[in-house]
Amino acid sequence: MAVPAVKTMHWEVFPSMSTRRVYCTALYQDGQVFVLGGCSETGLPLDKVEMLDVVSQKWTGLPPMPTPRAGAAAVVLSKQLLIIGGMNEEQSPLGSLEVFNMDEGKWEKKAPLGQPSMGITAVKKDDKVFALGGMGSDAAPQALVRLYDPARDQWQSLPPMPTPQYAASAFLRGNKIYVLGGRQSKLPVTAFESLDLETRSWTRYPSIPSRRAFANCTMTEKCFYSLGGLQQPGPHNFYSRPHFVNTVEVFDTDQGLWTKQSRCTRMREKRADFAVGYVGGRVVAAGGLGNQPSPLGSVEGFNPTKRKWESLPAMNCPRCSCASLQGDNMLFVIGGVSQGPSNAVEALSVRESS
């Protein structure tokens, strides 16, 4: 696959959301972006739902969710938005599942999770939803794997993850769900595991080589990337201070191992809590927190052909803690924190040649 020139990459700035929000949940389908919940400027969970039409660049307010929530998981199935778990106004995990029917324009409460959870990772396949991990009311990480069948409005328990965790990254490839990263309390998780949806069994892979908080993960056709983060003191560097890193670690699925990275394949900028994606044949890292006093606006992309990181156009609104999602070869960066919660929405895309 040819990688487009840097000059073809650009940020498209959309009108701002009506509500400033962080820890919101974003979905994309058929040229529409849906933004659900999140935390307001006062720190309280929101029930507000907004929809952006990418072509007309117009926002539409949708009916509010029955339950205000932040940090929830969500998927879109056909003409339905499903939002799962998250945190309520008492900062306690939620067990509720709510579904918005686009044709009817209303919300409906469905069968709840057996256990309240925040920080769930959700994946959809064949009109079913897989909810992995989370953090319970006791603040302990969960190994739960739950399968939701909308046709029956039923949850089914699947074999638990080998490693309990929440806020993990999960990727669907073929008949497998790959899970990596995540957290246990304040500690970053290095486990890398996959669930085979046919045999319903888990496989462990070599762990992510280094332990970093607020790192980010993404997937390409052949590789998984673990990028950046905050390196914390450990057994071998007990007296060091937490520090931002530009680490890049790559798992090659053909070789079945993490490849040793050279100095030239590290990111240009040390960053954590940033947006990540795969656009125009490049792994992209945008914004986040670094060694500057305010959030970063810088953006860089790894060019696999040249085996190096290249500077890309900067974000118009520097931010961290954003919601990000991909659709139609665009990386959307939504809300987050600049000086406070942000209502900015922009997308990195490849400019089509005329």
Side-chain angles (χ1 to χ4, degrees):
M1 175 180 171
V3 179
V6 167
K7 64 182 180 181
T8 65
M9 307 287 287
H10 76 289
W11 286 94
E12 187 166 349
V13 180
F14 295 94
S16 297
M17 297 183 287
S18 66
T19 306
R20 297 179 182 274
R21 49 176 111 202
V22 64
Y23 308 129
C24 58
T25 306
L27 298 168
Y28 179 87
Q29 187 182 51
D30 298 334
Q32 295 176 322
V33 174
F34 301 89
V35 185
L36 304 91
C39 275
S40 69
E41 293 172 282
T42 61
L44 291 175
L46 295 160
D47 61 4
K48 293 183 180 295
V49 182
E50 300 179 67
M51 180 190 75
L52 170 69
D53 183 281
V54 174
V55 175
S56 68
Q57 298 205 358
K58 291 183 178 178
W59 286 97
T60 303
L62 299 181
M65 296 185 291
T67 309
R69 60 182 84 207
V75 298
V76 55
L77 294 178
S78 186
K79 293 284 190 176
Q80 293 187 320
L81 309 179
L82 290 75
I83 190 153
I84 309 160
M87 180 187 73
N88 66 11
E89 293 169 337
E90 284 76 44
Q91 296 189 333
S92 298
L94 288 163
S96 58
L97 162 65
E98 294 167 353
V99 176
F100 181 72
N101 296 288
M102 297 185 211
D103 288 339
E104 300 172 18
K106 64 180 183 181
W107 285 91
E108 190 176 355
K109 293 190 176 185
K110 295 290 188 176
L113 293 163
Q115 301 87 355
S117 300
M118 61 178 291
I120 291 171
T121 305
V123 176
K124 66 174 180 179
K125 181 173 171 59
D126 298 334
D127 290 327
K128 292 183 173 61
V129 181
F130 297 84
L132 302 101
M135 183 174 72
S137 303
D138 57 358
Q142 298 169 330
L144 300 167
V145 180
R146 296 163 280 198
L147 168 62
Y148 179 69
D149 183 347
R152 298 181 179 182
D153 189 27
Q154 287 180 350
W155 288 96
Q156 174 188 356
S157 293
L158 297 184
M161 296 189 293
T163 307
Q165 57 193 301
Y166 67 95
S169 297
F171 304 95
L172 178 67
R173 177 184 278 169
N175 265 319
K176 291 184 178 181
I177 297 175
Y178 294 84
V179 182
L180 64 165
R183 295 170 67 185
Q184 294 176 337
S185 184
K186 295 181 179 180
L187 296 176
V189 170
T190 58
F192 181 25
E193 302 159 350
S194 75
L195 172 64
D196 187 306
L197 300 180
E198 290 185 353
T199 63
R200 299 203 168 176
S201 60
W202 283 91
T203 299
R204 293 191 191 208
Y205 300 98
S207 295
I208 299 171
S210 62
R211 188 183 298 272
R212 292 161 281 122
F214 305 109
N216 252 324
C217 301
T218 193
M219 177 181 75
T220 66
E221 289 87 354
K222 290 186 176 182
C223 298
F224 293 89
Y225 285 74
S226 175
L227 306 169
L230 188 68
Q231 195 95 52
Q232 296 172 312
H236 304 296
N237 56 347
F238 185 78
Y239 294 104
S240 72
R241 293 182 177 181
H243 56 282
F244 295 103
V245 294
N246 56 355
T247 302
V248 176
E249 293 172 342
V250 183
F251 184 85
D252 186 307
T253 50
D254 290 340
Q255 299 181 43
L257 49 81
W258 292 90
T259 57
K260 188 172 180 63
Q261 296 301 290
S262 63
R263 185 175 293 274
C264 67
T265 55
R266 294 176 186 169
M267 291 191 295
R268 293 179 167 217
E269 189 106 46
K270 297 178 178 180
R271 64 177 86 221
D273 194 17
F274 51 95
V276 67
Y278 182 53
V279 181
R282 287 181 174 84
V283 172
V284 174
L289 290 173
N291 292 320
Q292 291 73 24
S294 56
L296 300 168
S298 62
V299 182
E300 54 190 302
F302 182 69
N303 186 326
T305 305
K306 297 180 178 179
R307 300 286 302 162
K308 69 174 186 177
W309 288 85
E310 299 169 328
S311 292
L312 299 180
M315 290 199 295
N316 293 271
C317 179
R319 284 168 288 156
C320 63
S321 302
C322 306
S324 61
L325 55 83
Q326 291 194 222
D328 296 338
N329 208 20
M330 301 173 79
L331 173 64
F332 290 88
V333 181
I334 299 165
V337 174
S338 50
Q339 292 177 326
S342 173
N343 59 357
V345 177
E346 48 192 310
L348 181 67
S349 63
V350 180
R351 185 178 283 112
E352 293 182 7
S353 56
S354 53

